[in-house]
Amino acid sequence: LSGDQRVKDETRLRVIAAAKKLSYTPNATAQSLIRRRSNIVGVVVSDITNPFYPVLVESLDRMFAGSGYRLILFNGHGTDERADALRHLSSRLVDGLVFTSALLDYPFADELAALNAPVVFVNRYIDDPRFDRVVADNVGGGAHAARLLVEQFGHERIAVISGPSTASTARDRERGFRGFLEEIGRALDESLYCSGPFTRDTGVTCCQKLLSREERPSAIFCGNDIIALGAWDAAVSSGVSVPGELSILGFDDIPIASWSAIGLTTVRQPVASMAQAAAEMLIERIEGSAASSGRTNVFPTELILRRTVGLPSRLRVGAS
Amino acid sequence: LSGDQRVKDETRLRVIAAAKKLSYTPNATAQSLIRRRSNIVGVVVSDITNPFYPVLVESLDRMFAGSGYRLILFNGHGTDERADALRHLSSRLVDGLVFTSALLDYPFADELAALNAPVVFVNRYIDDPRFDRVVADNVGGGAHAARLLVEQFGHERIAVISGPSTASTARDRERGFRGFLEEIGRALDESLYCSGPFTRDTGVTCCQKLLSREERPSAIFCGNDIIALGAWDAAVSSGVSVPGELSILGFDDIPIASWSAIGLTTVRQPVASMAQAAAEMLIERIEGSAASSGRTNVFPTELILRRTVGLPSRLRVGAS
């Protein structure tokens, strides 16, 4: 039934006829036990409701499907989904794991390394050279964002709403942003700094706080698009014009960012290319053709200029 | 090792010591072969980038996790992911399937019924009494929407942007909407009808078409929120005020609908309750405690009044 060439044609036909008569279907669990391969790959996501992840999951799904692998999605906000994923890997229910939203304090690194099993970190990574990683140049993207606000648009009072310091993306974007400001001798005003989880709520709350200050910022750099859209929503719905009174800059370029009524200016991560690289690296590990040490694949980011970043009022012709 | 009470304590300790010495880990694939249960449930989604589905998937994930089941996500736009899901079910890699976005012309109904395996349709269903289904009262929701626009706000020129006629949700919502209008003797003007896939593009394209007519509609009922948000985006970005010149009504109540700068008026599906019911029904089937015929569980919908529906201009005080 498996098409083995050593079986005589006559025998093969008799087996096929018998299988048909008995309505026999091969048991995939039994087959995967023999082959020691499930052709299923686990993807660990911390928050599928952040619109960045469905886009990444769909890209990964497409890339893996092209090579005959299906995805199991491990979704969750705690350590449960990571422990589950690890258990599935150690017991070979999945052939490999893609971590999309790892935290820097990831608690299972040694267990993972001891398994010596196929793993790749995409988007966020952990500071551990034993593992493959696919990332955007978040430091460079943060620096581009600072240059845009300061040099191209002349902003002086700039706020930052950052993601959690435990996420490599938040840390690196902020590092790049601060680095550029320090380089030109204009360190970030810490009274204009706010941070929280990568959620819309963080953007809403931090923006309201920043707007309630006597001296408001003229621009905000946000750790990702969903924070930026929260900030945009808080500003617009309280009558603050964007970008007239407040410029807002995001990171990721999720689909909503491009809606014409919003037009979020942002720093794009090349999601499809990153998903393709992650799938290729993981499949190489599964099929045993990769080197043993961890590899790093960094993708350049791109500034996407839309409507939420403009000149501060003091530089606008006709401004009062 | 499995904790069988018939094994003597002395023997148990010797087995545990030996397992420890040999670094033995139970092979989950082998275990699932013996138990004939994988504790994995497959969820079939046609478009994870439609924000309704991540919310539904997360709800399902939470409900199933509470009973010790993990999800495999089968995502795709064609028949591949449905064939894959069926293959996983027939070969017992998953214990059951949740279909979230079935089409009425679902091609595998007989294969599925022949397997006699645990299956539930949630959100969209197929017209086949053999299967369990969990749905919102889409006919009732459509009728509520029509009543809101006609009776509460006095709209007369009403357009419809519907989803695909192959989806039960699109069909039932439209049926309820049209039914109410016919009941009061005001059948829908077919020149104001437009339909397409459940995507933002459908909303943008149909709205642009409707707005280019000499006599514009004063209100649009949309087949779901992502279509409504496309229509909203097309209207706002071409200078048509919402709801001043155009009222827009959606269906689902996805998170973006509640953003204050948008404030989409919509008909809510109770996603968390529906996910809970679907998980309970499927687990009953997996554990063999359900009746053999298909069951239907219908949840009421709720009108969520926000800012995108208002009075038509002829009824506004001070309108020219």
Side-chain angles (χ1 to χ4, degrees):
Chain A
L1 286 179
S2 65
D4 193 318
Q5 294 297 325
R6 293 166 300 181
V7 178
K8 265 190 273 178
D9 275 359
E10 191 196 342
T11 316
R12 188 197 319 281
L13 290 173
R14 269 171 40 216
V15 170
I16 290 172
K20 201 164 176 177
K21 204 166 144 194
L22 298 166
S23 297
Y24 171 79
T25 314
N27 182 312
T29 310
Q31 287 185 333
S32 106
L33 185 65
I34 293 157
R35 281 203 322 269
R36 321 219 84 168
R37 183 101 43 104
S38 66
N39 281 92
I40 298 176
V41 162
V43 176
V44 188
V45 175
S46 73
D47 180 9
I48 192 73
T49 64
N50 169 353
F52 174 75
Y53 290 106
V55 174
L56 178 58
V57 166
E58 183 156 272
S59 283
L60 287 168
D61 199 5
R62 207 175 6 248
M63 302 305 169
F64 278 110
S67 300
Y69 290 86
R70 298 300 315 178
L71 302 190
I72 299 189
L73 189 70
F74 298 96
N75 178 54
H77 299 275
T79 55
D80 282 1
E81 78 284 3
R82 294 178 290 182
D84 275 353
L86 196 67
R87 199 154 46 238
H88 276 69
L89 185 65
S90 70
S91 57
R92 299 201 185 83
L93 283 169
V94 296
D95 296 336
L97 287 180
V98 180
F99 289 91
T100 66
S101 36
L103 296 179
L104 290 164
D105 57 359
Y106 178 76
F108 304 119
D110 288 336
E111 285 91 327
L112 206 56
L115 279 176
N116 198 21
V119 162
V120 60
F121 287 80
V122 63
N123 178 45
R124 298 191 204 158
Y125 62 94
I126 60 175
D127 288 319
D128 192 319
R130 291 174 290 186
F131 304 109
D132 286 349
R133 60 174 82 144
V134 176
V135 290
D137 176 12
N138 291 301
V139 176
H144 282 322
R147 182 181 296 122
L148 181 80
L149 295 178
V150 175
E151 294 194 344
Q152 283 185 252
F153 285 91
H155 285 279
E156 290 176 351
R157 280 188 65 74
I158 299 176
V160 168
I161 306 179
S162 191
S165 59
T166 46
S168 65
T169 44
R171 179 192 65 180
D172 293 351
R173 290 165 191 180
E174 190 181 323
R175 196 175 272 176
F177 195 84
R178 286 179 179 273
F180 180 84
L181 294 182
E182 280 156 22
E183 216 170 84
I184 60 167
R186 298 210 358 222
L188 187 71
D189 177 348
E190 296 300 332
S191 73
L192 296 177
Y193 177 85
C194 188
S195 74
F198 274 133
T199 61
R200 185 181 163 277
D201 269 1
T202 296
V204 171
T205 315
C206 285
C207 184
Q208 284 168 342
K209 215 163 71 184
L210 290 164
L211 290 176
S212 71
R213 296 178 55 91
E214 210 164 313
E215 260 204 294
R216 290 177 171 178
S218 67
I220 307 180
F221 171 58
C222 298
N224 77 353
D225 281 353
I226 203 74
I227 290 180
L229 289 166
W232 171 83
D233 195 17
V236 171
S237 65
S238 62
V240 172
S241 105
V242 176
E245 298 167 78
L246 182 68
S247 286
I248 294 175
L249 181 53
F251 210 112
D252 280 345
D253 197 27
I254 61 176
I256 310 169
S258 69
W259 292 9
S260 352
I262 300 177
L264 183 66
T265 295
T266 189
V267 182
R268 177 182 290 164
Q269 291 205 67
V271 176
S273 309
M274 288 166 65
Q276 182 171 359
E280 283 171 2
M281 286 166 89
L282 193 73
I283 291 170
E284 278 173 23
R285 291 240 171 260
I286 292 171
E287 297 178 351
S289 59
S292 62
S293 57
R295 300 164 292 176
T296 298
N297 206 335
V298 182
F299 283 80
T301 57
E302 183 189 356
L303 268 176
I304 305 295
L305 300 175
R306 294 200 184 97
R307 297 187 303 96
T308 59
V309 171
L311 294 171
S313 56
R314 64 175 173 84
L315 294 180
R316 278 203 308 281
V317 176
S320 57
Chain B
L1 287 179
S2 66
D4 194 317
Q5 294 297 325
R6 293 166 300 183
V7 177
K8 268 190 273 181
D9 276 359
E10 191 197 341
T11 317
R12 190 198 318 281
L13 291 173
R14 271 175 36 220
V15 170
I16 290 172
K20 201 164 173 179
K21 203 165 145 193
L22 298 166
S23 298
Y24 171 80
T25 313
N27 181 311
T29 310
Q31 286 185 334
S32 105
L33 185 65
I34 293 158
R35 284 203 321 270
R36 320 218 87 173
R37 184 93 51 95
S38 65
N39 282 90
I40 297 175
V41 161
V43 175
V44 189
V45 175
S46 74
D47 180 10
I48 192 71
T49 65
N50 170 353
F52 174 75
Y53 290 106
V55 174
L56 178 59
V57 165
E58 184 156 271
S59 282
L60 287 169
D61 199 6
R62 204 173 12 244
M63 302 303 170
F64 279 110
S67 298
Y69 290 86
R70 298 302 313 178
L71 302 189
I72 299 189
L73 190 70
F74 298 96
N75 178 56
H77 300 275
T79 55
D80 282 1
E81 79 284 4
R82 295 179 291 183
D84 274 353
L86 195 66
R87 199 154 46 237
H88 276 68
L89 185 64
S90 70
S91 58
R92 298 200 185 84
L93 283 171
V94 296
D95 296 336
L97 287 181
V98 180
F99 289 90
T100 65
S101 35
L103 295 180
L104 290 164
D105 58 359
Y106 178 76
F108 304 117
D110 288 335
E111 284 92 327
L112 206 55
L115 280 176
N116 197 23
V119 162
V120 61
F121 287 81
V122 63
N123 176 48
R124 297 190 205 159
Y125 62 93
I126 60 175
D127 287 319
D128 192 319
R130 294 175 289 186
F131 304 108
D132 287 349
R133 60 175 83 145
V134 176
V135 291
D137 176 13
N138 291 301
V139 175
H144 282 322
R147 183 182 295 120
L148 181 80
L149 295 178
V150 174
E151 294 194 344
Q152 282 186 253
F153 285 92
H155 286 279
E156 292 177 347
R157 283 189 62 76
I158 299 176
V160 168
I161 307 179
S162 191
S165 58
T166 46
S168 65
T169 43
R171 181 193 63 180
D172 294 351
R173 290 165 191 181
E174 189 180 326
R175 196 176 272 176
F177 194 86
R178 285 176 179 273
F180 181 85
L181 293 182
E182 279 155 22
E183 217 171 82
I184 59 167
R186 298 208 3 219
L188 186 72
D189 177 350
E190 296 300 332
S191 73
L192 296 179
Y193 177 83
C194 186
S195 74
F198 273 133
T199 60
R200 185 181 162 276
D201 268 2
T202 296
V204 170
T205 314
C206 285
C207 185
Q208 283 168 344
K209 215 164 72 185
L210 290 163
L211 290 177
S212 72
R213 294 177 56 93
E214 210 163 311
E215 261 204 293
R216 291 177 171 178
S218 68
I220 307 179
F221 171 58
C222 298
N224 76 354
D225 281 353
I226 202 73
I227 289 180
L229 290 167
W232 171 83
D233 194 18
V236 171
S237 64
S238 62
V240 173
S241 104
V242 177
E245 297 168 80
L246 183 68
S247 285
I248 294 174
L249 181 52
F251 210 114
D252 282 344
D253 196 26
I254 61 176
I256 309 171
S258 69
W259 292 8
S260 351
I262 299 177
L264 183 67
T265 295
T266 189
V267 182
R268 178 183 291 165
Q269 292 204 67
V271 176
S273 309
M274 290 166 64
Q276 183 172 359
E280 283 169 6
M281 287 166 89
L282 193 73
I283 290 169
E284 278 172 25
R285 291 238 172 262
I286 292 170
E287 297 176 353
S289 61
S292 63
S293 58
R295 300 165 291 177
T296 299
N297 207 335
V298 182
F299 283 79
T301 57
E302 183 189 357
L303 268 176
I304 304 296
L305 300 175
R306 294 200 184 95
R307 299 186 304 97
T308 61
V309 170
L311 295 171
S313 56
R314 66 176 173 82
L315 294 180
R316 277 205 306 280
V317 175
S320 56

